[in-house]
Amino acid sequence: MSTIRTAYRSAILHSIGDPDKVGMENSYEYFADGAMIIENGIVQGVGNADEILANESSDITVKVYENKLITSGFIDTHVHYPQTGMIASYGEQLLDWLNNYTFPAEGKFDDPEHATKVAEIFLEELMSNGTTTALVFGTVHKASVDSFFTQAELRNLRIICGKVMMDRNAPDFLTDTIESCYEDSKELIERWHHKGRLHYAVTPRFAPTSTPEQLDVAARLLNEYPDLYMHTHLSENLKEIEWVKELFPERTNYLDVYDHHGLLSERSVFAHGIHLCDSECQRLADTGSAVAFCPTSNLFLGSGLLDLPRLEKFGVNVGMGTDVGAGTCFSLLSTMNEAYKVMQLQGQALSPFKSLYLATLGGANALRLEDKIGNLAVGKEADFVVLDLAATPLLKFRMDNSTSLEETLFALMLMGDDRVVCETYVYGENRYSSL
Ligand code: GUN
Ligand code: ZN
């Protein structure tokens, strides 16, 4: 890590609040000619270049980005690294897709070499898309998580991952037991949780693949170690929901399965949550749990349309997830594009500043990491991206017609993907460059 004090000069935009709570104008800071000071991986100053640089000694290194936009690194609140190689698998909805494509692909992750190779591809893909933090599923194999954390640590990313817990309704080669899931998870927690920038998530795949006894083991782990995350799927697909009813007839609804076993808290993240009743929304809000909105996946698997304003009305924290490999891309910009269309189909709009919030500070809030990441405020970790608003001829042409920041940001989200990401910085270090 560099101990040099460096200034980055460029247009700078970052989210500082939820537009629905603080109003659009108060939800962001924008400096057309901005500067950001980084030292030891931490933001030391951000503002108008004239003012910020006037306070610095004349020998400070200044890196100037012409015609670029700096913003904070994107946060993916739900993604599966072992599904990287099976993204875009054709023709099925959730339960058949799991059986026909996902489980066979995940079966290979007992091999640490395979796991390492896929982890490397996945992490490089995150960074080339400007994503600097993610909440990630491993597979049932301990080796999958060991390999993944090893690679994440090498890149100094703030990453959360966990071993999948699955002791029924899956092929034998992918199931664990009450004893092995406890022992393996415990070993991984002790090795990786809070090591550098890494965190561990207790990860029951979803209610249908865990016995009630295994869900109790998940709760036991959460009680034994501080600040663990709980990461699972919830109410994604109608057939899945029917199946949960059959498997847990004594529970009042899908969320109640997790609730009954003590798995709801401020560090619980539920992917999807599309088909929830009012009492489930209320319970998520009351417990401080978060939902990961995964529009590309929800459309790809035909799962449904998330009613984001309804969840927010209940006070549920929401972050954005790509959910690769059911999700169809790693780019949070493309994910915003699809989120916008999901909202349109429900007669709602999603403003570009709200999208920026969800993909950055909102994700940090959902993951309870807002004191460390999510924007470029002084004291935050310097995870940021340099975007090129003229990355393609069409994008440049469109931007030349833009008359406001709001319009520019919206076009960037609708048209942008990894092609607009020039550089990605992780804790002040340049980890990806297309320049
Ligand atoms: N539900 C249980 N497992 C999965 C998975 O791997 N992907 C998605 N999208 N939903 C799930
Ligand atoms: Zn998922």
Side-chain angles (χ1 to χ4, degrees), residues 77-80 94 135-138 160-166 201-210 214-215 218 222 229-236 240 244 248 254-259 261-265 267-274 276 284 289-294 323 367:
T77 63
H78 178 70
V79 61
H80 300 249
L94 176 64
L135 172 56
V136 184
F137 260 65
I160 312 164
C161 184
K163 183 200 101 70
V164 169
M165 301 168 74
M166 185 153 61
V202 173
T203 309
R205 180 173 214 114
F206 66 155
T209 48
S210 286
Q214 187 172 58
L215 297 176
L222 292 167
Y229 289 88
M230 202 291 298
H231 185 197
T232 191
H233 296 92
L234 170 70
S235 212
E236 174 179 6
E240 168 208 15
V244 171
F248 297 91
Y254 195 157
L255 186 69
D256 187 47
V257 174
Y258 299 127
D259 200 2
H261 291 277
L263 300 182
L264 274 60
S265 84
R267 283 172 196 277
S268 299
V269 180
F270 296 92
H272 309 292
I274 302 170
L276 299 172
L284 286 169
S289 301
V291 164
F293 177 17
C294 308
D323 195 27
L367 300 180

